[in-house]
Amino acid sequence: SNLLTNNNLFLLGVLGKPHALNGFLYLNQDIYFRSFDLTGINVFINGKNFKIQKFKTHLKNRYLIKFEGFDSISDIETFRNQNIYITSEQINTFISNGLPWPGFFIGKKLNNKYLVKNYFYADNLVYLTIDSHQEVVIPFNDIFFEYKDNELNLINFDLVQ
């Protein structure tokens, strides 16, 4: 369906200022997405759909994107400082080491039991904070989690005892 609700939209990052004159903008995206080429994906800004025509790395940890049909600096000035979102339907577009972006699972239950409270990055690892009886922090990797048939499950319970 074309109905976009906020619970179906997930923050990919924030747009920065225009770069040069041909329609590129800086994108400050969630660390997880920095290993992906975002060319060709559809994103949402203020509920409207845009297609990323080009994505490129610019210096260290700086990224530039250009939207299809926006070719000048005046076309894109309104995008500055706007949040840019993806939908949960894009979950399988962003698989890293067999696991999807953890942001899709905040507020959801794993194994019908463990509520995902948050995620964070440290030492190049992603950690999920889940709540069983108390809050537990678990490395988000294939030792602890498995993703198949669009379901994320905890498979190792060493840290939740």
Side-chain angles (χ1 to χ4, degrees):
S1 82
N2 283 337
L3 184 66
L4 278 181
T5 58
N6 281 345
N7 13 350
N8 193 27
L9 288 178
F10 296 85
L11 187 65
L12 172 73
V14 181
L15 294 167
K17 62 182 196 290
H19 174 77
L21 299 173
N22 50 5
F24 278 95
L25 289 140
Y26 283 103
L27 171 65
N28 181 11
Q29 76 269 47
D30 187 294
I31 292 171
Y32 181 87
F33 294 104
R34 292 179 186 177
S35 56
F36 294 95
D37 181 352
L38 302 178
T39 304
I41 75 157
N42 286 305
V43 295
F44 295 86
I45 301 164
N46 290 326
K48 293 196 189 76
N49 192 349
F50 298 91
K51 185 170 192 168
I52 296 178
Q53 184 182 341
K54 289 194 179 123
F55 171 82
K56 57 189 190 184
T57 310
H58 177 73
L59 309 174
K60 183 176 162 56
N61 290 334
R62 299 282 274 167
Y63 301 85
L64 293 169
I65 60 170
K66 180 185 181 310
F67 295 118
E68 206 167 77
F70 293 85
D71 301 311
S72 76
I73 201 160
S74 56
D75 285 346
I76 59 171
E77 189 55 55
T78 55
F79 291 127
R80 183 195 288 243
N81 301 327
Q82 296 289 330
N83 287 344
I84 179 171
Y85 295 90
I86 53 174
T87 72
S88 53
E89 276 117 61
Q90 290 159 296
I91 188 165
N92 293 316
T93 312
F94 304 108
I95 302 285
S96 176
N97 301 321
L99 296 172
W101 177 53
F104 287 126
F105 296 94
I106 291 180
K108 305 256 186 333
K109 279 201 164 163
L110 308 183
N111 308 50
N112 294 318
K113 183 174 180 184
Y114 305 109
L115 180 69
V116 180
K117 303 279 281 271
N118 211 338
Y119 71 96
F120 64 94
Y121 303 96
D123 304 325
N124 294 324
L125 281 172
V126 187
Y127 293 88
L128 285 190
T129 305
I130 67 170
D131 190 348
S132 43
H133 302 296
Q134 71 284 356
E135 287 194 357
V136 191
V137 172
I138 301 181
F140 189 57
N141 60 35
D142 58 10
I143 296 169
F144 290 97
F145 296 92
E146 178 182 66
Y147 178 68
K148 66 174 196 214
D149 305 326
N150 289 342
E151 293 265 317
L152 182 68
N153 282 300
L154 191 63
I155 54 170
N156 175 319
F157 302 93
D158 291 352
L159 299 178
V160 291
Q161 300 309 335

